Amino acid sequence: MNGKSMLINGGVTAALALLATGVAISAQDKYTVKVPNGLAFSEFRGYEGWQTISISYNGGLLAVILGNSAMIEAYKAGVPGNGKLFPDGAKMAKIHWNPKKNETAPGQPLVPSTLHDIDFMVKDSKRFADSGGWGYAEFEYEAASETFRPGTLTDQPPQGNDAKCGFACHTIVKNRDYVFTEYPSR
């Protein structure tokens, strides 16, 4: 192979490598998404490995509610039923899926299909003093583009552009430190 051919082959290889890198770079890193004036997805890095608190089926969506170690330890210690509050640093993630029937399983149970959205809560009594000590975020999943975006006022339920977007709903469980989810027996 002469020098000109090697140079052309090297240039084509470099161009393909750059193109492949560009494609990889253009894919969304979910940890860069942030609610304007609110929580960032990156504040919940590793949520995928958190322990299950509970599951739910509400509004036509299946959900798993996960907690970080601070949240799980508080539940195990009896919070909120023991009258104590969840500690700062406690975090929850609620992953919602559109359901589908598993036609081949006995009883045809509902199982997760496409991802719908992910909700987050974090306890930080200083940062969120005006919302019961909790910050909230909701990120809608766009299946067509496989990306997340912050929830908006046109979503159901409507989400404002700050970390207090879930506070209004959670005030009805103020006596449970603003947490709906119970930690069931295992």
Side-chain angles (χ1 to χ4, degrees):
M1 189 180 288
N2 66 28
K4 189 175 182 181
S5 294
M6 287 186 352
L7 185 59
I8 290 171
N9 282 340
V12 168
T13 301
L16 289 173
L18 284 173
L19 180 61
T21 302
V23 169
I25 290 171
S26 68
Q28 182 194 43
D29 175 2
K30 65 185 175 188
Y31 292 112
T32 63
V33 183
K34 182 179 188 229
V35 172
N37 305 311
L39 298 174
F41 211 117
S42 62
E43 295 181 63
F44 300 88
R45 189 176 298 275
Y47 73 92
E48 302 94 331
W50 293 353
Q51 185 175 329
T52 298
I53 296 169
S54 189
I55 58 172
S56 71
Y57 179 72
N58 189 7
L61 298 173
L62 289 173
V64 63
I65 300 97
L66 309 171
N68 70 353
S69 59
M71 192 77 188
I72 298 299
E73 291 307 312
Y75 271 124
K76 288 180 178 179
V79 175
N82 62 5
K84 294 186 180 180
L85 303 177
F86 289 97
D88 280 358
K91 296 179 181 181
M92 298 174 72
K94 186 173 189 180
I95 305 169
H96 290 103
W97 291 275
N98 295 300
K100 68 177 180 180
K101 252 188 211 179
N102 183 339
E103 302 288 343
T104 59
Q108 298 181 330
L110 289 177
V111 296
S113 179
T114 54
L115 184 61
H116 185 274
D117 68 88
I118 301 178
D119 303 340
F120 293 118
M121 286 176 63
V122 60
K123 181 74 176 266
D124 186 329
S125 55
K126 290 184 179 111
R127 185 174 169 198
F128 306 113
D130 58 347
S131 58
W134 289 95
Y136 305 85
E138 192 263 348
F139 296 96
E140 292 285 324
Y141 183 70
E142 304 286 342
S145 61
E146 297 182 344
T147 60
F148 287 93
R149 65 166 176 79
T152 67
L153 294 174
T154 61
D155 293 316
Q156 291 301 320
Q159 303 294 315
N161 285 331
D162 58 30
K164 297 177 274 189
C165 60
F167 182 60
C169 292
H170 286 253
T171 57
I172 63 175
V173 286
K174 181 179 179 181
N175 64 335
R176 297 186 40 78
D177 196 16
Y178 302 95
V179 175
F180 287 108
T181 306
E182 295 184 17
Y183 189 73
S185 298
R186 317 262 150 151

